[in-house]
Amino acid sequence: GQVYVDRKRFNDALVDFAVAEKRAPENYVSLGLLANRGLAYEGLSQWQEAEREYSRALSVAENLGFSAPYLLNSRGNVYGSLGQYAAAADDFDAASRVFQTERNLAGAIYASSNGALARIEIGDEVRGERELRTVARRAAGSIDARAALAALYYSQGKVDEAEASWNFACESINSGILEGSNVALDGCAQYRDIDWLSRIRRWPPSMVRRMDDFLNLRSVEVSTQ
């Protein structure tokens, strides 16, 4: 089942997980099975089912005394897809705290960025911007945070700051070199793709709109928060 998840054969994975569950001893609950089944449901965009599995997995982890920041981050993503951004922000914040305790900087940065975006979606723009600034400062290679700041600044009428953040993300963060070429890959390419930003990266709707406005240099009603 886990291999099927890795290969994105999510329906096949669910079949295997059901078989494994039936063959398991009575009252046995597998944390790994629950987490991977959550991933399978998430891959199928079955958000409520994914939330159920992640919540069950987190409950098992807590009973076992395990920290599970990746599960918290995953459930946060699902809450976001369900439009429950306050719950998403809480999960992202919790995941970030655990990652920091475990000295997993990459995990903490990713969860913090997710949390900041969720905070902005629920109207806490001041805190969201502050957290994005913190991520950008702590993670020199975070294109995500700087792209988000560019969109946010533009919506606030801070055009120069928006352009500076965007240009730094696109030109100063080396995301790789094309084979046989001295030209660095465009780190912002994905962030110009609104479908990717919404469906794959899963930015909240208001931030996707802000990025679309920025990319198209639309006149916007300036936020006063």
Side-chain angles (χ1 to χ4, degrees):
Q2 185 173 348
V3 172
Y4 281 143
V5 169
D6 292 341
R7 297 180 64 184
K8 302 187 186 306
R9 292 172 57 180
F10 301 119
N11 284 309
D12 290 331
L14 291 174
V15 171
D16 271 8
F17 293 142
V19 172
E21 203 166 41
K22 287 181 180 179
R23 293 179 178 176
E26 188 176 359
N27 298 323
Y28 175 78
V29 179
S30 168
L31 176 60
L33 186 150
L34 293 173
N36 280 289
R37 188 156 58 191
L39 285 171
Y41 280 128
E42 193 174 358
L44 294 168
S45 301
Q46 296 181 17
W47 312 124
Q48 291 181 332
E49 290 83 357
E51 185 276 328
R52 180 193 65 211
E53 297 304 309
Y54 288 143
S55 292
R56 289 182 64 196
L58 283 163
S59 178
V60 171
E62 182 178 3
N63 290 336
L64 293 172
F66 295 159
S67 62
Y70 289 102
L71 284 174
L72 284 166
N73 192 76
S74 293
R75 189 175 67 175
N77 283 326
V78 170
Y79 278 140
S81 294
L82 288 167
Q84 299 175 21
Y85 285 99
D90 289 342
D91 270 2
F92 292 139
D93 289 348
S96 179
R97 288 193 297 271
V98 177
F99 279 130
Q100 290 183 64
T101 299
E102 296 178 349
R103 299 183 181 277
N104 183 336
L105 179 59
I109 291 300
Y110 190 65
S112 295
S113 185
N114 285 338
L117 294 169
R119 293 291 173 195
I120 293 169
E121 186 66 19
I122 61 177
D124 194 351
E125 189 171 309
V126 172
R127 178 175 174 181
E129 179 181 339
R130 182 174 67 245
E131 292 178 356
L132 284 173
R133 285 174 176 270
T134 299
V135 170
R137 185 177 65 253
R138 294 181 64 198
S142 176
I143 294 174
D144 195 75
R146 287 176 172 79
L149 282 169
L152 185 61
Y153 289 152
Y154 187 78
S155 73
Q156 297 169 346
K158 302 175 182 176
V159 177
D160 289 344
E161 290 92 333
E163 291 289 351
S165 186
W166 180 254
N167 289 337
F168 187 93
C170 300
E171 299 171 8
S172 298
I173 300 176
N174 185 355
S175 61
I177 302 293
L178 288 172
E179 185 176 356
S181 169
N182 292 322
V183 179
L185 294 173
D186 180 0
C188 294
Q190 290 179 311
Y191 290 86
R192 294 187 178 93
D193 183 344
I194 296 302
D195 177 67
W196 175 86
L197 196 60
S198 175
R199 188 172 53 86
I200 305 301
R201 176 58 185 90
R202 287 153 72 180
W203 271 19
S206 69
M207 286 300 295
V208 173
R209 288 193 297 271
R210 293 177 204 222
M211 178 58 80
D212 195 36
D213 288 339
F214 171 64
L215 292 173
N216 291 285
L217 299 178
R218 294 193 184 97
S219 297
V220 295
E221 182 178 345
V222 176
S223 170
T224 58
Q225 292 190 6

